[in-house]
Amino acid sequence: MYSLLMPGLIPVISAQDADILPKETYSELSSDSAFAAIGMMPEILDENMGKLLQSWHVQYFSQTEKYCLDNDENVSFSDAVYQQRLERLPCIIPMDYNSVVRRCIDLYADRRRELVRYMMGMADLYFPVFEQILDVYDLPDELKYLAVVESALKPDALSRVGASGLWQFMLPTAKLYGLEVNSLIDERLDPAKATHAACRYFKEMYSVYGDWHLALAAYNCGPGNVNKAIRRSGGKTNFWEIFPYLPRETRSYVPLFIAAAYIMTYHCEHNLCPIQTSLSLASDTVMVHNLLHFQQAADVLNVDIELIRMLNPQYKRGIVPGNIMPSPLKLPVSATLAYIDRADTIGRHRLDELLAGYETVDLSGDTKDNPRRETVRHTVASGENLNTIASRYGVTARDIRRWNKLSSNRVASGRRLTVHIDNGGIAYARNEEKPTEKETSTAAAPAASRQIAQVAPRQQAPPPSGNAVAESGDRMISYTVRSGDSLYSISKKYPGVTISMIQTANSMKGSMIKPGQILKIPVG
C-alpha cells in the first residue's frame, strides 16, 4: 500500500530474548550498553540530553513537584508487580508484559531518567491537545503515548531520514493525509493538525487489522511490511507471533509504547518526577487576515517572540500568510483579546521593515511557470545535512540529491546547492539567496562575494550610535544587537551591506537575532 514513518532505530539483540527474537546478527550503533538490553531503539532515545535541555522552551522549566520524591536511584520491582500495574491501566489497547517490555521499562526508568523528566514536563503542554483530538475520533486515549516513542515530545524532532514533528511524519505521507508542507509552512510541526492526520491513519489501520498492536506496527513500517510479516509467519495475526518477521526497526515499537504508558503513569514509584514548566498552558487562537510577521505581534503585545514561535511552529519563516487565506495564530490567552483590539496597529507596525521584499504571488494554476515555484541557492552551513536542509525548504533529500547530482546525503559545508521550492504563496524576500540567470546554468561564486564585488571601494563606515567596534585587518566591524533590531534595519545602517552579506559573514541559517548578540558586519 504505502509507507509512513521510518524513524532510525538501533537494532541490538539480547541473548535472553532468544525465545522471541530471530536468529540474526545485528550491529550496535551506540556505545551505551543499555541499548543491548532491549534489542532495538528509536534514535530519539539516543538524544543528546545536554543539547535537548538547552532548547529555548526549557528555560521555562522549574522545580519538580513539591510532594514528589525525585532522585537518581531507580527502584526495581518483580515481574508480577509490573504485570499487575499494566493490567490496572485503564486502556483499550492491550498492555502485554514480557521480557522485552521489562527491558524497555528498565531503559526508561534507569538509563533515560533525565529524558523521562523532560517528556513528563512536555506532556503538560501536549497531552491535553492529543486527548481532545483522540476523543473526536473515538480513539483510545492511550495512543497519546505513541508520540513519546516517536519524538520524546520534542516538538521540532527531525529524524535522520527526514521524519518530522511530534508524530514523525515523512513528507509524502504527510501530504497524503492532508498536511501542507512547503518552504513557508510545515504542518507536520503543528501539534493539532499533525494529530488529526495521525488519528486518520490510526483509524484506517485499525479498520484493516482489527488489532491495535498491528495497527501501531503499521504506523511505523507501513501495512505492506506488516502484511509481509503475517504471510511469513504462516498467517498469524498476533504481534508477538509475527515479531521475528517484522522489520528490525519495528520490533521494539509496541514494547516501547507499552513501556512509555507504564513510566508516564508510574513514574513516582521509580523516584521520577516531571520537570514542571512555567510556560503559560492557557492559549487561544486568533485568525489573521493579513500578511503578518511574528515580530509585529511580539512587539505590540509584549510577548516573547520565541513563545510565539513555539506555539506556532508550522510557520517556518515566522510569517503568517493571512493575506492568502485566514490563518490561525496561537497566542497566550492573556494576549488574544489585546490582539483583537489592536489587530490594525499590529498589521502596520514595522511593516516596511519586517516584510520588505516579501510578495504575495498568484496561487492559481500549478504549471511550470507558477510563481509559487522558485529556485533558491542554499549555502551549506556546518552541521547541516540534506535532511535538515530538505526540512527547511519543504522538499525531500532525494529531490536535493537529484537536483545537484549528489550520490549521498553527505554534503560539505560551504557548498552551494540548488533547491526548487514551493514558496507557499509568499515569494522569498529579495535578500534571500537566489541564483542569477547565469547561475542557473553554471556554477557561481557565493552570494556574499558577488554582492561585495558590486560595491564600489570606499572607506570603512563609522560605527552607528557608537555601538560597533572595528576589527582590525579583516574589513569587518562588530555590531551589538539592540532591542528592536532586525537584520534589515542593521543592514540599512551600512551603505552597500545586505542581509545576505550579514548572514554569510556570521554563518547564519536564518534571520533570527537577539539583543546582546554580536554580529560581524562586512563593510568593505
Side-chain angles (χ1 to χ4, degrees):
M1 199 171 170
Y2 40 75
S3 177
L4 183 60
L5 314 173
M6 297 294 292
L9 297 181
I10 299 173
V12 186
I13 229 166
S14 169
Q16 293 174 297
D17 291 320
D19 58 324
I20 295 181
L21 302 179
K23 308 296 185 188
E24 299 180 41
T25 301
Y26 294 81
S27 60
E28 185 166 339
L29 303 183
S30 172
S31 59
D32 190 333
S33 61
F35 289 6
I38 63 167
M40 295 137 287
M41 289 193 62
E43 67 184 74
I44 195 66
L45 282 178
D46 204 14
E47 183 72 53
N48 182 324
M49 279 306 300
K51 181 179 178 182
L52 184 62
L53 292 176
Q54 291 172 8
S55 301
W56 170 84
H57 54 277
V58 179
Q59 68 178 296
Y60 288 89
F61 283 1
S62 56
Q63 298 299 316
T64 56
E65 292 178 349
K66 183 177 180 180
Y67 299 104
C68 183
L69 174 63
D70 187 276
N71 60 45
D72 292 331
E73 185 177 346
N74 181 33
V75 181
S76 294
F77 300 92
S78 68
D79 288 337
V81 170
Y82 286 126
Q83 185 166 356
Q84 289 169 5
R85 287 176 178 172
L86 285 170
E87 289 173 351
R88 288 200 300 266
L89 289 178
C91 294
I92 294 174
I93 301 176
M95 296 292 171
D96 298 337
Y97 182 77
N98 55 38
S99 62
V100 179
V101 172
R102 167 65 183 260
R103 295 179 190 283
C104 291
I105 292 174
D106 288 344
L107 177 72
Y108 281 129
D110 188 23
R111 301 302 298 273
R112 290 296 178 266
R113 296 175 68 80
E114 196 68 21
L115 181 62
V116 171
R117 293 184 180 103
Y118 165 86
M119 293 189 299
M120 288 189 293
M122 297 305 291
D124 288 341
L125 294 175
Y126 295 118
F127 274 10
V129 176
F130 298 162
E131 291 163 358
Q132 183 179 13
I133 297 172
L134 287 165
D135 184 61
V136 169
Y137 288 86
D138 195 25
L139 288 169
D141 179 82
E142 58 269 27
L143 282 170
K144 64 190 177 189
Y145 298 119
L146 199 64
V148 171
V149 180
E150 287 290 351
S151 63
L153 300 182
K154 183 181 178 186
D156 59 350
L158 178 67
S159 80
R160 68 190 67 170
V161 296
S164 187
L166 289 165
W167 293 100
Q168 289 289 280
F169 275 100
M170 294 291 284
L171 179 61
T173 310
K175 293 188 174 182
L176 181 67
Y177 279 82
L179 297 178
E180 185 173 1
V181 182
N182 51 53
S183 68
L184 179 67
I185 295 174
D186 189 344
E187 290 183 341
R188 293 178 297 176
L189 303 178
D190 184 319
K193 289 189 177 181
T195 303
H196 278 284
C199 286
R200 290 194 290 273
Y201 194 88
F202 293 147
K203 288 190 77 73
E204 184 174 340
M205 289 302 98
Y206 186 73
S207 70
V208 171
Y209 296 107
D211 179 279
W212 276 115
H213 287 171
L214 296 185
L216 295 182
Y219 186 86
N220 177 259
C221 67
N225 283 312
V226 173
N227 294 341
K228 184 187 297 183
I230 291 173
R231 289 196 302 271
R232 291 176 63 194
S233 71
K236 296 175 181 177
T237 56
N238 177 279
F239 174 82
W240 302 106
E241 291 180 318
I242 71 169
F243 187 100
Y245 307 102
L246 287 166
R248 288 179 292 183
E249 69 272 9
T250 305
R251 293 172 194 159
S252 66
Y253 202 66
V254 169
L256 282 169
F257 166 75
I258 295 172
Y262 172 89
I263 200 65
M264 298 293 278
T265 304
Y266 296 107
H267 53 87
C268 287
E269 285 77 356
H270 292 270
N271 295 339
L272 274 168
C273 302
I275 304 176
Q276 296 197 305
T277 176
S278 59
L279 274 173
S280 173
L281 301 182
S283 61
D284 204 349
T285 301
V286 297
M287 297 305 295
V288 177
H289 299 274
N290 56 284
L291 187 63
L292 178 74
H293 194 287
F294 283 172
Q295 192 68 58
Q296 293 175 284
D299 288 350
V300 177
L301 300 175
N302 195 27
V303 175
D304 189 340
I305 189 172
E306 293 302 330
L307 177 56
I308 296 178
R309 290 184 192 280
M310 198 206 82
L311 292 174
N312 302 275
Q314 69 272 27
Y315 299 120
K316 297 194 292 184
R317 287 151 62 186
I319 297 173
V320 184
N323 58 327
I324 297 174
M325 64 178 65
S327 301
L329 178 69
K330 184 171 287 190
L331 295 168
V333 69
S334 59
T336 53
L337 288 178
Y339 179 92
I340 294 171
D341 290 341
R342 308 187 66 184
D344 291 341
T345 300
I346 294 170
R348 292 191 299 267
H349 176 70
R350 298 173 63 185
L351 177 63
D352 292 338
E353 174 188 343
L354 293 170
L355 294 171
Y358 289 98
E359 300 174 359
T360 305
V361 301
D362 182 8
L363 299 182
S364 62
D366 191 26
T367 66
K368 183 178 180 181
D369 297 325
N370 186 346
R372 281 186 60 151
R373 309 295 176 185
E374 287 191 61
T375 300
V376 299
R377 294 278 280 177
H378 178 88
T379 301
V380 180
S382 177
E384 284 188 322
N385 58 48
L386 289 197
N387 282 320
T388 59
I389 297 169
S391 178
R392 172 179 175 178
Y393 293 109
V395 298
T396 65
R398 181 179 180 181
D399 288 334
I400 298 177
R401 290 199 306 269
R402 176 167 51 86
W403 294 328
N404 294 275
K405 296 181 172 58
L406 300 174
S407 58
S408 74
N409 281 5
R410 293 185 178 182
V411 59
S413 60
R415 175 159 183 170
R416 284 166 57 77
L417 301 173
T418 297
V419 187
H420 304 291
I421 68 168
D422 176 351
N423 60 36
I426 304 297
Y428 256 62
R430 288 189 294 271
N431 54 59
E432 297 281 352
E433 287 190 66
K434 282 187 170 185
T436 63
E437 190 172 324
K438 181 178 181 181
E439 281 182 300
T440 58
S441 58
T442 61
S449 300
R450 184 172 65 252
Q451 290 164 322
I452 291 173
Q454 294 169 353
V455 178
R458 51 181 164 79
Q459 300 232 339
Q460 182 165 298
S465 306
N467 198 29
V469 179
E471 296 184 359
S472 60
D474 58 3
R475 304 174 69 81
M476 297 266 186
I477 62 171
S478 294
Y479 180 87
T480 302
V481 178
R482 295 172 297 185
S483 178
D485 276 342
S486 67
L487 290 187
Y488 176 84
S489 65
I490 295 171
S491 70
K492 292 304 179 185
K493 298 175 191 265
Y494 301 95
V497 174
T498 67
I499 291 177
S500 181
M501 291 167 65
I502 299 175
Q503 289 172 318
T504 301
N506 294 275
S507 300
M508 297 174 66
K509 300 178 184 178
S511 57
M512 276 280 298
I513 56 175
K514 57 185 178 182
Q517 181 179 352
I518 298 176
L519 297 175
K520 294 180 180 179
I521 310 295
V523 294

